[in-house]
Amino acid sequence: MQQSVESLVRLLESYRGRDKVIRTVCYGSQLVGGFLSRKAEADVSSHRLGRSLLLFSAQLSQCRTVLRLFDDLSMLSYSHSYGFGAEEEDAGVRWISVLTNVADQLYYPCEHIAWAADAELIKVKSDKWWLFSTVLWGVSLLLGIFRSFRILLLKKKQLRRCTGEGAGNSNPSQLCRQMRGEVLSVLSSMADLSNAIHWMPPGFLWAGQFPNWLVGLMGSISSVIGLIQMDTGSMDQLDST
């Protein structure tokens, strides 16, 4: 119990860890709240609790939006350090990563303008800026899925050579672990992409068709995967030291 509490405290002390926890609670509240609010005819108290959870989820989402006001520089630093991906061996992975960084970098100012417009700090309509940010988020997710599939293909070939020839510096268990990580990334991005499409203008695929509980479910799946990947990354760092 003590170890679990200490792990949670360490997670909350880091910005990324805290954001993932807030994200998980946000979508989890939307999932439960959306489910309970559907039971209005059966149970008024459950419906009231559901509405409260949905309001709580909206406040947490707003909190994350405000916190992202300070993410531009860290994203710019990462994009600058990655550059054109000179260290990547595969050209496909390299250029997909570069395009993903561009989409992510453009996402932040669009979201900031939309937030400022809603807060009445600037006199512009927020609708188009929310649309721009959602499109950029969706493009980033789609590129991330392509990147993961490309890496999976490369790792599969590498694993086949490693097990077939019994030579090389590759560790089969490490390759399998990396492939599992990419599969989780695909599942996470697909869950988020489904929500991104839902928030697009009506008429585009299933835009606007998701009930609150389904949005919460997709977001919860992505958030839990993110926590698993963060924990796995921490364990890998411990193993390498």
Side-chain angles (χ1 to χ4, degrees):
M1 179 65 180
Q2 181 67 24
Q3 185 177 1
S4 300
V5 173
E6 290 177 355
S7 298
L8 179 60
V9 169
R10 285 195 300 269
L11 185 65
L12 292 173
E13 283 179 343
S14 68
Y15 170 73
R16 297 302 172 191
R18 187 180 303 167
D19 179 70
K20 289 186 181 298
V21 171
I22 295 175
R23 189 183 200 271
T24 304
V25 176
C26 173
Y27 280 115
S29 299
Q30 189 170 5
L31 169 60
V32 178
F35 179 76
L36 290 177
S37 63
R38 298 176 63 199
K39 301 171 61 177
E41 297 82 4
D43 191 343
V44 176
S45 61
S46 295
H47 176 71
R48 188 175 301 157
L49 176 60
R51 298 306 302 174
S52 296
L53 286 172
L54 290 176
L55 290 172
F56 178 60
S57 174
Q59 290 299 313
L60 290 180
S61 178
Q62 182 72 5
C63 170
R64 294 185 66 233
T65 301
V66 173
L67 289 175
R68 282 196 296 270
L69 291 172
F70 307 95
D71 282 354
D72 298 74
L73 286 178
S74 59
M75 184 65 222
L76 183 61
S77 176
Y78 173 77
S79 298
H80 181 266
S81 63
Y82 187 85
F84 290 102
E87 296 182 359
E88 295 284 359
E89 297 180 359
D90 182 73
V93 173
R94 178 167 61 250
W95 287 109
I96 290 174
S97 298
V98 170
L99 291 174
T100 302
N101 290 342
V102 171
D104 289 341
Q105 193 69 63
L106 293 175
Y107 166 84
Y108 289 107
C110 290
E111 185 187 55
H112 300 340
I113 294 172
W115 169 82
D118 282 346
E120 299 183 353
L121 299 177
I122 55 177
K123 293 183 179 180
V124 297
K125 291 186 177 180
S126 65
D127 295 355
K128 67 177 182 179
W129 293 103
W130 284 122
L131 175 59
F132 290 159
S133 63
T134 302
V135 170
L136 287 167
W137 183 41
V139 169
S140 175
L141 291 169
L142 195 58
L143 289 170
I145 293 171
F146 291 155
R147 182 180 185 275
S148 291
F149 276 130
R150 179 61 180 171
I151 292 175
L152 281 170
L153 180 61
L154 295 172
K155 295 296 181 184
K156 187 176 181 179
K157 292 180 179 178
Q158 194 174 353
L159 181 62
R160 190 181 297 122
R161 289 197 303 267
C162 182
T163 56
E165 300 174 4
N169 298 324
S170 300
N171 185 340
S173 61
Q174 184 178 6
L175 287 174
C176 290
R177 187 164 60 248
Q178 291 171 348
M179 291 174 69
R180 285 195 296 270
E182 294 301 331
V183 171
L184 288 176
S185 295
V186 170
L187 294 176
S188 175
S189 295
M190 289 180 68
D192 281 336
L193 184 60
S194 67
N195 277 344
I197 293 174
H198 163 71
W199 286 316
M200 294 291 287
F204 180 75
L205 297 179
W206 56 84
Q209 300 300 313
F210 280 8
N212 281 317
W213 68 266
L214 186 53
V215 174
L217 177 62
M218 293 296 103
S220 296
I221 291 172
S222 172
S223 299
V224 171
I225 290 175
L227 289 173
I228 293 173
Q229 290 177 318
M230 175 171 279
D231 182 64
T232 303
S234 298
M235 293 300 294
D236 289 342
Q237 288 182 352
L238 288 175
D239 291 341
S240 62
T241 57

